[in-house]
Amino acid sequence: MLPVRYRTSSGYPLISVTQVLTVQKRINAEWFTPESAWRGSTVHRLIQAFDLNLPLDIPAGLGGYLDAYAEFCAVVRPRYAHSELLVRSERWALGGRIDRVCEDLFGAPGLLDFKTGDQYPWHALQLAGYNLIRPTGNRWGCYLQANGKYKLKLYDDPQDHRKFGHDLAQAHGTVTAEGDYWIQAA
Amino acid sequence: MTEKPLEPMELLDRQAKYDALVEHFGRPTDPSSPEAFALHQKVMRILEGQEPDPRQNFGTAGGFSQIP
């Protein structure tokens, strides 16, 4: 069962971008382990603290990810408009949280999502979903690695938006909210 | 147990090395062009040692070292 994470101001439930991709089996839950989930959320907290110049308490094993982010900031020099931006669309009955909305990343506005694991095809669709709620421009994935390096990926296939739109329509036909959870039709 | 982040001087050093390589190849006039991103990828590969640094290829085979 998937929890209802987002609602409109009047309480109407919104499915999340990643839940759409989960319901449509683009995301395989077996890829996620408690360790990978902890690593992802902790690194997201650390890089936000880094942005805000807050003191950093880096758990063992995660220093490389932060070094990778620091190097990314130092050489690419992105200009952020928003961090960890909560976005909701009543029109699409869709919600999500965007890691960074960039005013300028390689000379143009764009959405930026950080990952601490491998690249998967659904990442392109995730960013297309965010672009649907918050039309911004380019879609970038930044893959932070334990060895202090990062890889940037520009997702530029316009078909990704069409695919996500299809998945969204299908997902809305598959799940209904009951209380705090989405119930999937058998 | 916790880890220490990179020192600011280390980051400045990496930034300077990156900028020097970008200037060596010629900074693209349009930072949003595909060429600009391709150059970024190339410079990062050089910095990570995956490609040779073109500024350090003196004395290689066929170069001055081959002159008797």
Side-chain angles (χ1 to χ4, degrees):
Chain A
M1 275 201 304
L2 299 169
V4 174
R5 291 197 195 122
Y6 305 103
R7 291 180 183 274
T8 64
S9 51
S10 59
Y12 186 80
L14 306 173
I15 195 166
S16 81
V17 168
T18 51
Q19 285 172 340
V20 167
L21 299 172
T22 302
V23 168
Q24 289 304 108
K25 299 186 170 34
R26 302 266 191 195
I27 299 176
N28 186 339
E30 291 174 11
W31 295 331
F32 295 105
T33 62
E35 190 272 337
S36 70
W38 171 81
R39 182 182 67 220
S41 60
T42 306
V43 168
H44 277 71
R45 273 203 308 277
L46 283 170
I47 64 176
Q48 197 171 22
F50 178 88
D51 285 349
L52 298 170
N53 212 17
L54 297 174
L56 297 168
D57 186 15
I58 308 169
L62 298 189
Y65 296 98
L66 190 67
D67 288 347
Y69 180 70
E71 176 154 326
F72 163 75
C73 291
V75 303
V76 176
R77 282 159 267 193
R79 281 215 327 269
Y80 298 144
H82 300 282
S83 291
E84 297 291 333
L85 181 67
L86 177 66
V87 287
R88 291 180 291 202
S89 166
E90 290 195 34
R91 179 184 180 192
W92 302 108
L94 184 64
R97 187 178 293 276
I98 306 172
D99 288 347
R100 301 290 185 276
V101 178
C102 302
E103 286 177 357
D104 183 343
L105 182 54
F106 285 100
L111 300 174
L112 175 61
D113 194 68
F114 293 101
K115 301 288 187 208
T116 56
D118 295 332
Q119 286 185 34
Y120 289 107
W122 63 267
H123 297 165
L125 304 186
Q126 180 189 11
L127 283 156
Y130 295 147
N131 226 2
L132 183 69
I133 310 175
R134 167 94 189 199
T136 303
N138 291 332
R139 294 171 291 137
W140 295 91
C142 182
Y143 297 85
L144 305 174
Q145 300 172 0
N147 61 5
K149 297 175 180 173
Y150 69 88
K151 294 275 180 269
L152 264 180
K153 169 78 178 163
L154 174 63
Y155 291 107
D156 56 0
D157 184 349
Q159 292 296 322
D160 294 336
H161 294 83
R162 187 186 62 76
K163 287 179 189 167
F164 183 82
H166 170 269
D167 284 355
L168 177 61
Q170 291 291 114
H172 277 311
T174 307
V175 297
T176 50
E178 285 186 19
D180 291 332
Y181 292 94
W182 295 104
I183 307 297
Q184 273 185 262
Chain B
M1 192 174 125
T2 59
E3 296 185 5
K4 266 174 67 70
L6 283 174
E7 295 292 332
M9 286 307 293
E10 290 177 273
L11 281 172
L12 284 173
D13 181 56
R14 292 181 189 205
Q15 191 178 62
K17 286 177 178 161
Y18 176 87
D19 284 344
L21 273 164
V22 169
E23 296 303 332
H24 171 79
F25 287 109
R27 191 177 290 277
T29 50
D30 178 5
S32 65
S33 65
E35 291 76 22
F37 181 51
L39 177 60
H40 167 78
Q41 302 287 66
K42 182 177 183 64
V43 167
M44 292 308 294
R45 285 196 298 273
I46 294 169
L47 289 175
E48 291 170 5
Q50 296 169 17
E51 278 189 31
D53 187 335
R55 301 166 302 175
Q56 296 173 353
N57 60 0
F58 299 110
T60 54
F64 294 115
S65 63
Q66 299 300 306
I67 299 171

